[in-house]
Amino acid sequence: MSVLSRIETYVGDHEVVLFMKGTADFPQCGFSGKVVKILKDLSVDFFVVNVLDDEEVREGVKVFSNWPTIPQLYVGGELVGGCDIVVDLFESGELQKMLTATAS
């Protein structure tokens, strides 16, 4: 299975997917840690893909999304964005609306 197919499977099989450096319990970068904290504060169940475990996924997700940085948050199969966008959406209340709409 190609790396892009694997990424598509992760995104398609889970409502909320976070491609990040590290794990939810042990983020390996501050930006990933911020997004994890927001999702945990919102009590969201999310699937983590640790890009540090797989160089192909680390580079492939950037191609898949056409987004150059990690972390990358997907909700309902759609790219939400990276850390700054997630923080902005959280602070405005929009992220909560997206997550609620996806859960419905």
Side-chain angles (χ1 to χ4, degrees), residues 67-84:
W67 191 264
T69 60
I70 294 168
Q72 293 183 16
L73 179 66
Y74 288 78
V75 175
E78 299 293 324
L79 175 67
V80 173
C83 180
D84 292 344

Side-chain angles (χ1 to χ4, degrees), residues 27-94:
Q28 295 292 299
C29 89
F31 298 114
S32 293
K34 278 185 186 180
V35 176
V36 166
K37 180 173 180 354
I38 288 170
L39 295 174
K40 285 184 174 184
D41 286 351
L42 295 174
S43 300
V44 173
D45 287 329
F46 59 101
F47 181 77
V48 169
V49 179
N50 180 358
V51 300
L52 298 178
D53 284 344
D54 189 331
E55 185 65 28
E56 276 191 326
V57 171
R58 183 177 183 168
E59 294 308 315
V61 74
K62 296 173 187 178
V63 172
F64 180 81
S65 63
N66 196 28
W67 191 264
T69 60
I70 294 168
Q72 293 183 16
L73 179 66
Y74 288 78
V75 175
E78 299 293 324
L79 175 67
V80 173
C83 180
D84 292 344
I85 291 172
V86 171
V87 168
D88 289 346
L89 290 170
F90 172 69
E91 289 174 351
S92 72
E94 289 300 311

Side-chain angles (χ1 to χ4, degrees), residues 15-26:
E15 285 299 315
V16 181
V17 180
L18 179 61
F19 290 87
M20 64 176 285
K21 295 177 181 174
T23 66
D25 291 331
F26 194 61

